[in-house]
Amino acid sequence: MGRLLRAFVATFLLIEIAGLVIGTSVWAILAEFHASNPVIIGAEGLAMIGVTVLGVVIFRRALAAETRIDTGEPSA
């Protein structure tokens, strides 16, 4: 398995869990405040933009780690 695929799998698994938790949290909090549906959907969209940015950061770090592993360079 290539380093890109290994980094993608690690990122996908982390972001999938983070996306579910953040999305559910945003929905639950706004539903408790009796927010209207457009407000909830807008907040969900903003939350998913944040999760996407987090995914890019995690992917870059995972790719750097996989590159270090492939070259045999010590990580610490």
Side-chain angles (χ1 to χ4, degrees):
M1 189 176 352
R3 65 184 158 142
L4 278 173
L5 186 58
R6 289 190 310 247
F8 177 76
V9 168
T11 302
F12 179 76
L13 293 174
L14 287 171
I15 292 303
E16 180 182 14
I17 294 169
L20 288 171
V21 170
I22 291 170
T24 304
S25 300
V26 166
W27 174 81
I29 290 168
L30 291 176
E32 285 295 318
F33 287 136
H34 301 289
S36 62
N37 281 341
V39 171
I40 293 174
I41 291 171
E44 290 277 339
L46 289 175
M48 290 306 115
I49 289 172
V51 169
T52 303
V53 169
L54 181 65
V56 169
V57 171
I58 290 174
F59 179 74
R60 287 182 179 177
R61 292 186 57 87
L63 189 58
E66 292 296 336
T67 302
R68 279 194 315 268
I69 290 170
D70 282 350
T71 60
E73 180 181 327
S75 61

